[in-house]
Amino acid sequence: YGVRGSDIKYTFGHVQADYDAYAVACFVADVSGKVAQEDYAAPKTFALAVNALWALDKGAAMPKAVACYFVQRLLMLEGVYPELNNCMVCGSGEYLSKMSLEHGGVVCKNCEGGKRVEKSVVKALRDMQDVMPSEINKVAFEKGTEAKLLRLLVDYLEYVLQKPLMTSKFIFGEK
């Protein structure tokens, strides 16, 4: 199999004028490339990436909100979204104050494992589950939540992929 030809349908030219949007666009492309599997068509993943690029190009949502939504939805598509309603160790639905990458979800304060996570971050994860791609402009977070949420999602994605995402440094402003 091979590609014999292609046409550019849309260039996403406005993304280049905004560093934050460009950084997230690079991240989306990087993640999409790492998730893609040879000889396996993934139209939902492709559509998710295109919708993220479109939102960045049109300014439909802030770049980091687009990154949060992209990673969150990708984790859902891949079937590895973290459990948010019950402790992954004991099953309790109360005092869910930690997130464990290793266990794949929240952990209550009485169980071992995980790092403390703010309620606003878990709430944002729950809220985003109901947002459709066409409604990405409705993604909103409590003040101070977005950066923590993005860090958690990227850490979780890197854990799941077992690969570092070099472009995550761009979206976090790291060198």
Side-chain angles (χ1 to χ4, degrees):
Y1 299 103
V3 176
R4 294 192 180 153
S6 65
D7 292 321
I8 295 173
K9 299 281 185 188
Y10 192 80
T11 62
F12 303 105
H14 293 99
V15 171
Q16 299 171 33
D18 179 343
Y19 178 81
D20 292 333
Y22 183 75
V24 172
C26 290
F27 174 77
V28 166
D30 183 29
V31 170
S32 299
K34 292 215 176 10
V35 171
Q37 298 175 23
E38 193 171 331
D39 296 329
Y40 176 74
K44 289 182 180 180
T45 303
F46 177 76
L48 177 63
V50 170
N51 283 334
L53 294 172
W54 181 86
L56 291 166
D57 189 61
K58 296 297 183 191
M62 297 302 292
K64 288 189 178 175
V66 172
C68 287
Y69 184 79
F70 172 77
V71 175
Q72 178 266 345
R73 192 59 57 170
L74 181 66
L75 292 169
M76 289 180 78
L77 285 174
E78 294 296 319
V80 292
Y81 198 66
E83 169 61 43
L84 302 173
N85 298 315
N86 296 301
C87 175
M88 293 301 294
V89 177
C90 72
S92 170
E94 298 181 4
Y95 309 112
L96 304 172
S97 58
K98 300 181 284 184
M99 180 68 76
S100 171
L101 304 180
E102 296 82 12
H103 291 102
V106 291
V107 177
C108 72
K109 71 176 185 177
N110 300 321
C111 291
E112 294 291 322
K115 293 190 322 188
R116 187 183 175 291
V117 64
E118 292 180 18
K119 288 181 182 180
S120 63
V121 172
V122 176
K123 180 184 180 315
L125 284 169
R126 285 187 182 124
D127 291 348
M128 281 195 308
Q129 291 180 80
D130 298 325
V131 177
M132 298 307 297
S134 61
E135 300 172 326
I136 194 167
N137 61 329
K138 295 181 181 176
V139 174
F141 308 109
E142 291 179 26
K143 186 175 182 171
T145 300
E146 183 178 73
K148 295 171 189 166
L149 175 62
L150 185 56
R151 176 58 74 182
L152 174 69
L153 285 167
V154 170
D155 288 349
Y156 189 70
L157 181 61
E158 287 180 331
Y159 180 82
V160 168
L161 292 173
Q162 294 294 296
K163 296 177 184 178
L165 298 166
M166 300 309 288
T167 52
S168 68
K169 293 178 180 182
F170 294 135
I171 59 175
F172 295 122
E174 301 169 356
K175 293 184 179 188

